[in-house]
Amino acid sequence: MSTPVPQNKVVQWIEYRLPVFSWAIAHGVDYPAPRNLNYWWTFGSMAMIMLVAQIVTGVLLSMHYTAHVDHAFDSVEHIMRDVEWGWLLRYAHANGASMFFVVVYVHIFRALYYGSYKAPREILWWFGIMLLLLMMATAFLGYVLPWGQMSFWGATVITNLFSAIPWIGGDLVVWLWGGFSVDNPTLNRFFSLHYLLPFVMCGMVFLHLWALHHRKSNNPLGIDIKSPKDTMPFSPYCTTKDLFTGTVMLFVLFVFVFYLPNTLGEAVNYEKANPLQTPAHIVPEWYFLPFYAILRSVPDKLGGVIAMAAAILILFVLPWLDTSKVRSARFRPIYKQLFWVFLADCVVLGWIGAMPAEGVYIVIGRICTIYYFAHFILIMPLLGRFEKTLPLPESIHQSILDKSLKSKTGNIS
Ligand code: HEM
């Protein structure tokens, strides 16, 4: 039974002209969510909370920020010291970026574990990867804005990577910079794009959720919804769960904001950008480290850039590389183990990305890079063919009934 639109006169007047209320009820209240969704399914809404939080804090920060090489660094200090609650806004925004990546990385690994990228959710998955790319671009551009040493040198190293592209590379970098080095035009355009992209992300999230609601959510069993008995209304069941984990997430974020605000940052970024002095180590933010490790694992500059780009772009074809008919790792005994190996591989890559590119770190980085690609190119296609999967339950509601029956008879005996 669907929830009726309120009979209030104003609501009815608007509804007749633009059915926003019935639309909101259909998608926010009545949406039939699988009744076995677990807490890993709340990370998408946490990502939405973080996107909104970043936009709100970012817009407020930009009211006091000056995008000019002579003033940017000082304007950030001004925000920290003189602007009322400026320190809170800045720390919430800087640490918020990290929290955003934490929840999105968990969100992605959840999708990998339960096979949420497989048919018929490929387009939903693609929108997700585009969101990841947009997030990365936005975070990179934002890091340049305080115009500290790491801002400047990070921007120099990363934009220089484009020069590896044959023929057009050199011109492309000059075009990106708006000059012959990272300078005022660069900072200006980075600020402009950093402001713009989060709104592009909002549009992309809309498409992401449209695709989700069209084909409906996957679930821990990875089987399709077969009857209304397999579902429950999104509100209040999912909304309360989302509110709970959203609150816990904000609590964790504020532990960082209030007690450890600079733990994830680089001390050297509190020094103003100096084009004549390179910092001892140039390291990106933690969320880029696995990709940075892949970049450095290839001894050739162009090869490294291609490998780093491929590490993300390969996700676009994952739905076809994974040949298994079964979605959820719960019924894929070997994939279940290899999922954790892959996760560990990504963590080790992250660690390597933070280490100097020398000696044993290079060797480990190369092994992990090879494994990263082997997971997609070899393991996923072959495993789907040869793995003996476990029998799937008949339906979502039947599996819940069986489980509760088992626990009841277990209690009696
Ligand atoms: C700004 C970033 C993102 C936001 C706000 C977002 C939001 C959401 C929300 C609200 C859901 C439904 C609830 C849930 O399943 O957790 C969802 C589902 C999903 N998202 Fe995202 N997402 C983002 C990024 C990504 C990325 C980067 C990927 C993968 C590369 C991805 C892949 C998926 C998939 C496959 C589902 C379907 C899950 C299922 O039904 O099992 N998302 N997303």
Side-chain angles (χ1 to χ4, degrees):
M1 205 182 66
S2 62
T3 313
V5 175
Q7 289 300 306
N8 176 297
K9 280 231 159 48
V10 180
V11 170
Q12 291 294 323
W13 189 90
I14 299 172
E15 178 70 17
Y16 183 68
R17 283 149 186 89
L18 188 72
V20 275
F21 294 97
S22 49
W23 184 85
I25 289 170
H27 292 280
V29 182
D30 292 341
Y31 173 70
R35 55 173 64 230
N36 59 339
L37 293 187
N38 58 29
Y39 275 100
W40 298 114
W41 263 262
T42 63
F43 280 77
S45 66
M46 284 194 250
M48 285 209 295
I49 296 174
M50 282 321 303
L51 178 58
V52 173
Q54 290 304 92
I55 290 178
V56 172
T57 50
V59 167
L60 292 173
L61 281 171
S62 72
M63 293 176 185
H64 303 274
Y65 170 78
T66 311
H68 189 286
V69 287
D70 293 337
H71 305 292
F73 187 83
D74 294 336
S75 74
V76 172
E77 279 308 298
H78 162 71
I79 289 171
M80 294 298 286
R81 291 157 196 266
D82 310 326
V83 174
E84 202 118 5
W85 302 106
W87 60 272
L88 181 59
L89 283 177
R90 180 171 182 236
Y91 281 154
H93 195 73
N95 287 284
S98 282
M99 184 49 92
F100 198 178
F101 273 97
V102 169
V103 297
V104 166
Y105 281 153
V106 174
H107 187 65
I108 296 173
F109 277 98
R110 183 284 313 262
L112 293 177
Y113 188 84
Y114 293 112
S116 299
Y117 51 85
K118 289 160 85 89
R121 297 183 185 81
E122 300 93 326
I123 294 186
L124 158 73
W125 173 249
W126 286 347
F127 285 135
I129 304 163
M130 289 183 228
L131 276 167
L132 177 66
L133 290 169
L134 282 168
M135 271 179 79
M136 290 179 149
T138 310
F140 166 70
L141 297 168
Y143 196 66
V144 182
L145 304 185
W147 208 243
Q149 271 289 67
M150 204 57 95
S151 304
F152 178 84
W153 289 100
T156 302
V157 169
I158 300 300
T159 47
N160 250 314
L161 293 177
F162 288 93
S163 69
I165 301 173
W167 301 300
I168 56 161
D171 290 336
L172 185 63
V173 176
V174 171
W175 179 73
L176 285 176
W177 285 337
F180 296 99
S181 67
V182 172
D183 207 336
N184 202 44
T186 329
L187 178 61
N188 234 298
R189 58 187 58 186
F190 276 22
F191 177 52
S192 166
L193 291 172
H194 182 68
Y195 206 128
L196 173 72
L197 292 187
F199 295 97
V200 177
M201 284 173 68
C202 290
M204 197 63 82
V205 169
F206 178 82
L207 294 173
H208 192 58
L209 295 185
W210 185 7
L212 176 80
H213 280 213
H214 181 56
R215 292 308 347 162
K216 307 286 179 284
S217 307
N218 185 27
N219 62 82
L221 297 174
I223 56 175
D224 291 334
I225 295 168
K226 292 189 182 119
S227 77
K229 280 196 279 185
D230 290 340
T231 67
M232 60 186 181
F234 186 76
S235 284
Y237 300 105
C238 297
T239 31
T240 41
K241 241 162 121 178
D242 287 350
L243 276 175
F244 171 67
T245 49
T247 311
V248 173
M249 173 197 71
L250 290 177
F251 182 81
V252 175
L253 172 61
F254 280 103
V255 168
F256 275 87
V257 170
F258 291 126
Y259 297 102
L260 308 157
N262 291 305
T263 309
L264 299 170
E266 286 292 326
V268 73
N269 222 31
Y270 279 101
E271 275 172 41
K272 193 173 172 172
N274 180 357
L276 300 178
Q277 190 199 336
T278 320
H281 299 290
I282 300 176
V283 270
E285 293 286 87
W286 69 266
Y287 35 81
F288 290 131
L289 289 174
F291 303 102
Y292 193 52
I294 291 175
L295 170 80
R296 294 191 307 178
S297 291
V298 182
D300 167 66
K301 187 171 171 185
L302 179 60
V305 173
I306 292 173
M308 184 172 69
I312 297 178
L313 298 182
I314 201 163
L315 293 172
F316 278 105
V317 287
L318 176 61
W320 296 274
L321 291 174
D322 180 354
T323 51
S324 174
K325 296 268 178 296
V326 174
R327 290 195 193 104
S328 174
R330 279 199 189 168
F331 306 101
R332 302 187 59 189
I334 304 175
Y335 176 67
K336 198 180 190 168
Q337 311 294 328
L338 293 179
F339 167 85
W340 294 108
V341 177
F342 178 68
L343 178 61
D345 186 67
C346 294
V347 173
V348 175
L349 277 171
W351 166 64
I352 291 295
M355 294 295 143
E358 60 193 28
V360 70
Y361 299 126
I362 296 184
V363 181
I364 301 174
R366 285 187 184 159
I367 294 170
C368 289
T369 300
I370 291 169
Y371 187 83
Y372 182 95
F373 287 106
H375 177 85
F376 291 110
I377 297 168
L378 288 176
I379 295 176
M380 296 306 272
L382 291 178
L383 203 59
R385 294 218 170 85
F386 300 113
E387 186 179 31
K388 202 168 154 20
T389 55
L390 304 177
L392 294 174
E394 201 180 296
S395 69
I396 295 173
H397 80 272
Q398 194 54 49
S399 106
I400 296 170
L401 288 178
D402 290 349
K403 220 166 151 186
S404 74
L405 203 68
K406 227 189 236 165
S407 71
K408 274 194 190 124
T409 46
N411 285 346
I412 292 164
S413 60

